[in-house]
Amino acid sequence: MTPSFDEPAAGAPGPGGGAPPPSFAPRGGLPATPAQPAPISAPAPRPAVDGSPRRRRWRWAVGTAVVVLVVALAWPVGLAVWANSKIERVEALRLGGGGPGTTYLIAGSDARDGGIADDGTTGSRADTILVLHVPVRGTTSLISLPRDTYLDIPGHGPNKLNAATVYGGAALLVTSVEQITGMKVDHYVEIGMSGVKDVVDAVGGVELCWDADVNDRDSQMVWTAGCHQTNGEQALAFSRMRKSDPTGDIGRGLRQRQVVSAVMSKVDPVPLLFRPDRQVALVDAATGALVVDQGTSVVTLGRLAMAFRAANGPAGVTGTPPIKSLDYRPGGVGSAVLLDPDTSPAFWKSVADGSLPPGTVGGVP
């Protein structure tokens, strides 16, 4: 077949030498329709939000969980900051490095205020003196120093240990205890005895035990031998009584450690976690009764509490240093407690290095 004059041969250029235009159609056919771009479709509508009760409950649960998490994280921090701001601080420690381990001096102040019964003592004295030592290795020890311990108070001559607080406050008491023990005190914590009542009440009372009938006018302790649930006022009298106790300061030290241990056993973190009102009451009572050195914080107090638990546990040591006489009368100071000068140095060295066997040490000579 020969090509027609109105149709170029196959492969022949169209007019102007280019390819035939798209609309050029072979003879006998309909013109081709030019290619059209695909129509732009409208975006698909977004699915409607599920407003079903189930979805709403889920969103509410997630939102609540987030709020609870924020509060759970922020509340302890805020409580700690608030507690730290409430604690009174004093200059109590001497400069210089300490020995191995950590030594806490815990003093109970018997200033006659805040509802404490008057027993004739004037001013503020250290009614309770506890040395709590955590060695690098070995047993943690909690040793009661009788307040009437006889010593040469630096700068003031021979007297009873609790007179150091009268002469020079916390700093002189710390120096005097360091002289007796040979250990540097790292942290000083003073507890107002009137605060014992508030703390015991804040934990809902504690159970205390004593195997003797007592009716002591000075401390106002009235007791029937055995174990009893006590409120704050009763626990305070229990921890202060000594004149109706034949062992004097030794027995009082035992009762004081029992009160503190009973309080700490009631401070269970799990129930407290769900009782913010109880947390606030406990922190308010405890911090209101405390005076500490400048370097002690609520974190330090937490470590002290753990050390106190360890000392009172089966692997710890509690008691007194070796005592030679409970009625030492050197003249000028009345009846005093004389520590054994021959065995005391070795005893305190064993406390420092943690080599004392677990159990109770010291006692009535």
Side-chain angles (χ1 to χ4, degrees), residues 14-223:
S23 60
F24 192 85
R27 183 169 52 88
L30 296 175
T33 303
Q36 298 295 327
I40 300 175
S41 60
R46 298 178 64 181
V49 177
D50 185 358
S52 66
R54 182 177 180 182
R55 175 61 67 88
R56 286 196 301 268
R57 285 196 301 269
W58 183 82
R59 290 199 302 269
W60 181 87
V62 171
T64 302
V66 171
V67 172
V68 169
L69 179 61
V70 171
V71 172
L73 293 175
W75 171 256
V77 176
L79 191 65
V81 171
W82 176 65
N84 209 51
S85 69
K86 286 175 60 62
I87 301 174
E88 182 182 349
R89 289 176 169 79
V90 295
E91 294 290 346
L93 306 180
R94 64 182 176 87
L95 299 177
T102 304
T103 303
Y104 303 87
L105 174 57
I106 306 168
S109 171
D110 67 347
R112 293 304 183 262
D113 57 10
I116 294 182
D118 185 6
D119 65 358
T121 302
T122 59
S124 175
R125 297 197 175 208
D127 193 53
T128 305
I129 303 168
L130 302 173
V131 178
L132 175 62
H133 181 72
V134 183
V136 177
R137 289 180 299 275
T139 52
T140 298
S141 300
L142 179 66
I143 307 300
S144 297
L145 275 171
R147 74 172 193 171
D148 290 341
T149 298
Y150 183 76
L151 78 158
D152 192 350
I153 296 177
H156 296 275
N159 212 319
K160 299 176 183 180
L161 178 57
N162 69 339
T165 309
V166 178
Y167 292 142
L172 186 57
L173 179 62
V174 167
T175 301
S176 300
V177 170
E178 290 177 338
Q179 176 178 291
I180 292 173
T181 65
M183 300 185 296
K184 182 181 181 302
V185 173
D186 299 294
H187 298 286
Y188 172 80
V189 177
E190 180 181 318
I191 305 172
M193 295 302 288
S194 60
V196 171
K197 175 166 61 69
D198 297 330
V199 171
V200 170
D201 286 336
V203 299
V206 295
E207 184 180 64
L208 301 173
C209 301
W210 194 249
D211 293 330
D213 293 341
V214 177
N215 190 351
D216 186 71
R217 180 181 60 85
D218 292 327
S219 67
Q220 297 184 358
M221 178 181 173
V222 179
W223 195 266

Side-chain angles (χ1 to χ4, degrees), residues 144-146 148-151 161 180-181 250 320-326 328 336-345 347-348:
S144 297
L145 275 171
D148 290 341
T149 298
Y150 183 76
L151 78 158
L161 178 57
I180 292 173
T181 65
I250 304 302
T320 65
I323 295 173
K324 187 171 184 178
S325 174
L326 287 173
Y328 180 60
V337 175
L338 180 64
L339 302 185
D340 192 326
D342 298 324
T343 59
S344 287
F347 169 81
W348 290 114

